[in-house]
Amino acid sequence: MGIFGDIGNLIMTPLYYAISAVLVGWHKLFSLFLDKDGGLAWALSIVGLTLVIRAALIPLFVKQIKSSRNMQLIQPKVKELQKKYGHDRERLAQETMKLYKETGTNPFASCLPILLQMPIFLALFRLLDQAADGKGHGVLTTSLAKSFGSSELGGAIPLAATFLKADGSGTVMSFAALLVVAMTITTFTTQRQLMAKNMPADALSGPYAQQQKLLLYVLPVVFAVGGIAFPIGVLLYWTTSNLWTMGQQFYVIRNNPAPGTPAAKAKEERDRHRAERKGIAVVTDQPAPASEPEGPARPAPRQQPKKQTRSQRKQGGGRPTAAAPRTPKPPSSKPGNKGKKK
């Protein structure tokens, strides 16, 4: 375990410095108008730390969105490969990975923001857990660690307390349970938001959809079960991070949805209503009204020229004149041949 512990410290030490530096920086800012040892100043510092981390992860979020769209667009090709090589799983896997490479698609890009946050999550957990014992890491000195570890929200809810280690306090357990539920619901909602609004119908039946469904139901369960052991400060971090993700996804899905998705149809409808309010003509693919002819108009029947004699053609320059329209003859009043005498 010694060598693994050294490797873990080598990886986590830079994170301790980075996280503690951001956390202490926000704490100094909030200490200008709040009690520096109070729980509110440290809780807001955790929120500020979350915002900084999520802002730094925006490029990864953009990459995640692009990869998700590529996965959606290539689903018809993936289905063709499944039909063609469904009997040979090894060949199917090779051809599918080749398609991913050609289109620049990474099927695991949707997990990158969560995976990269896990070391930060663990580092914050360790900082807060050891701060409760007065131990500091990185920029978080011993005096600041004692202040952080003993800080309480409302004078009754320690940030270092957990649902399992609430010392019998119903207030602490209730607040921790509330944050666990909020963390679980926001985790589920962020995944559900992506599947329900920004995925076409073709993408809901392939392997990519199975991966998304797995994340949809497994991650909330994992966080719900593990959340009862997380300190309240860590629960506050993760819930704030989920709220950021929800807002970020809502903005992207609403303003730049993937083609062929419910979000894209909703955007087209909003754009049409906005154009109508401004008096701008909107080009649509609607069929022409029933009153208008669907095909080209038929030409008028051509009139045959009237036959002329040779003398008439010499007098008129050789040009035939159009025949006058024939008028129907009135029915004869004379009896037919049937009544005639021989």
Side-chain angles (χ1 to χ4, degrees), residues 30-101:
F30 291 120
S31 296
L32 297 176
F33 50 90
L34 294 173
D35 181 10
K36 65 178 182 179
D37 295 325
L40 184 59
W42 283 109
L44 291 176
S45 300
I46 293 174
V47 174
L49 171 67
T50 309
L51 299 181
V52 171
I53 292 173
R54 292 313 308 265
L57 292 177
I58 286 178
L60 286 178
F61 178 78
V62 173
K63 186 176 181 179
Q64 173 194 7
I65 292 296
K66 290 182 178 179
S67 181
S68 298
R69 289 187 178 181
N70 287 342
M71 288 294 297
Q72 295 164 14
L73 294 176
I74 66 173
Q75 284 308 302
K77 294 183 179 180
V78 172
K79 289 185 177 181
E80 290 180 3
L81 292 177
Q82 290 174 347
K83 293 179 180 179
K84 187 175 182 180
Y85 303 107
H87 60 283
D88 189 349
R89 287 188 170 274
E90 184 177 355
R91 180 67 183 278
L92 176 61
Q94 293 176 355
E95 294 296 329
T96 304
M97 293 305 298
K98 182 180 178 182
L99 177 63
Y100 289 160
K101 187 176 181 180

Side-chain angles (χ1 to χ4, degrees), residues 99-321:
L99 177 63
Y100 289 160
K101 187 176 181 180
E102 291 175 351
T103 56
T105 304
N106 183 1
F108 302 104
S110 59
C111 305
L112 284 178
I114 294 177
L115 293 178
L116 290 180
Q117 282 190 90
M118 292 309 296
I120 300 171
F121 182 82
L122 294 175
L124 181 62
F125 180 92
R126 187 77 181 274
L127 278 176
L128 191 54
D129 185 57
Q130 296 195 0
D133 298 329
K135 298 178 181 179
H137 283 282
V139 181
L140 192 69
T141 61
T142 302
S143 59
L144 288 173
K146 291 180 179 179
S147 174
F148 186 31
S150 61
S151 60
E152 296 180 348
L153 279 172
I157 305 174
L159 290 177
T162 68
F163 181 86
L164 297 178
K165 297 179 180 180
D167 295 331
S169 174
T171 303
V172 175
M173 293 180 68
S174 299
F175 190 75
L178 180 64
L179 285 179
V180 170
V181 172
M183 182 181 65
T184 304
I185 292 176
T186 51
T187 302
F188 177 83
T189 305
T190 52
Q191 295 297 323
R192 178 65 179 170
Q193 183 185 42
L194 187 64
M195 292 185 65
K197 297 290 185 180
N198 208 37
M199 289 183 68
D202 292 342
L204 294 175
S205 58
Y208 179 67
Q210 299 301 321
Q211 174 192 343
Q212 293 296 319
K213 289 179 181 179
L214 183 66
L215 293 175
L216 177 64
Y217 295 105
V218 171
L219 284 180
V221 173
V222 170
F223 285 118
V225 173
I228 59 177
F230 295 159
I232 288 177
V234 176
L235 294 175
L236 186 62
Y237 165 83
W238 201 258
T239 303
T240 306
S241 179
N242 286 345
L243 291 173
W244 171 287
T245 303
M246 288 175 59
Q248 197 173 34
Q249 281 189 171
F250 177 80
Y251 177 82
V252 172
I253 293 174
R254 178 180 175 83
N255 295 282
N256 194 17
T261 61
K265 295 179 181 178
K267 185 177 185 301
E268 291 177 1
E269 189 70 15
R270 290 195 306 271
D271 293 342
R272 187 176 65 83
H273 286 306
R274 190 181 298 113
E276 288 177 353
R277 287 196 301 268
K278 293 181 180 180
I280 302 175
V282 181
V283 179
T284 62
D285 296 331
Q286 299 295 329
S291 59
E292 296 182 3
E294 296 183 358
R298 294 182 178 180
R302 183 179 179 183
Q303 293 183 350
Q304 296 294 329
K306 185 180 179 181
K307 293 183 179 181
Q308 297 177 341
T309 61
R310 184 179 297 177
S311 59
Q312 288 176 338
R313 287 198 297 270
K314 289 181 179 181
Q315 293 176 359
R319 295 180 180 177
T321 58

